[in-house]
């Protein structure tokens, strides 16, 4: 592998559709994320599936996730429900990104930049 670290990808709602709410079934793949993960893998990047399903999962449940991954991604991937210092990104439908060491969200910062820009444009 040409880089260090791994990319975490949430399963339900990020890589697999969870609109049906038919847990424990896994929904259809979300095409954009499916292709993104395949691209990362083709580039030699390490991708792990970050899912709460991995917490206290039975071997059968883990095998079902791996079967889904083989069918829709083309290979098995590491499954986890924890992060570590080697995780470089987390793709998740529920996460709110925070600017390190500030407590401020990226959305707040973007809104502040946009408001400042609009204020400058209005002054012209």
């Amino acid at each position: 592998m040409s880089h260090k670290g791994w990319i975490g990808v949430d399963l339900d709602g990020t890589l697999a559709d969870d609109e049906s709410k038919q847990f424990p079934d896994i929904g259809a793949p979300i095409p954009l994320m499916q292709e993104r993960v395949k691209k990362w893998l083709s580039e030699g990047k390490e991708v792990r599936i970050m899912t709460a399903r991995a917490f206290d999962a039975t071997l059968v449940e883990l095998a079902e996730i791996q079967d889904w991954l083989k069918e829709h991604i083309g290979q098995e991937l590491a499954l986890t429900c924890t992060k570590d210092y080697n995780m470089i990104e987390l793709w998740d439908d529920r996460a709110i990104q925070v600017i390190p060491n500030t407590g401020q969200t990226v959305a707040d910062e973007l809104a502040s930049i946009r408001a400042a820009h609009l204020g400058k444009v209005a002054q012209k």
Side-chain angles (χ1 to χ4, degrees):
M1 189 177 326
S2 61
H3 76 288
K4 296 182 187 229
W6 56 276
I7 300 169
V9 176
D10 175 52
L11 182 61
D12 298 300
T14 302
L15 183 57
D17 183 277
D18 74 346
E19 289 296 315
S20 65
K21 304 294 184 206
Q22 296 297 316
F23 186 84
D25 294 338
I26 303 172
I30 297 171
L32 182 59
M33 280 306 298
Q34 179 184 29
E35 292 308 312
R36 184 174 284 131
V37 168
K38 286 180 176 182
K39 180 178 182 285
W40 288 332
L41 293 169
S42 74
E43 294 170 349
K45 295 179 179 176
E46 180 181 357
V47 177
R48 298 181 190 175
I49 301 303
M50 175 84 96
T51 179
R53 291 176 183 249
F55 183 77
D56 283 341
T58 66
L59 291 176
V60 170
E61 292 166 333
L62 295 174
E64 288 171 351
I65 297 170
Q66 292 296 3
D67 288 344
W68 188 94
L69 289 167
K70 284 189 280 189
E71 179 181 349
H72 299 290
I73 300 300
Q75 68 183 68
E76 292 184 1
L77 298 172
L79 304 176
T80 187
C81 61
T82 60
K83 54 185 191 171
D84 59 36
Y85 286 107
N86 292 319
M87 184 179 74
I88 55 176
E89 295 178 1
L90 173 60
W91 292 67
D92 182 33
D93 61 310
R94 297 183 185 200
I96 305 290
Q97 187 174 0
V98 175
I99 298 169
N101 306 315
T102 68
Q104 184 176 7
T105 69
V106 170
D108 290 341
E109 180 67 12
L110 291 174
S112 175
I113 291 168
R114 184 173 190 272
H117 174 73
L118 291 176
K120 288 178 184 178
V121 170
Q123 291 175 359
K124 288 184 179 184

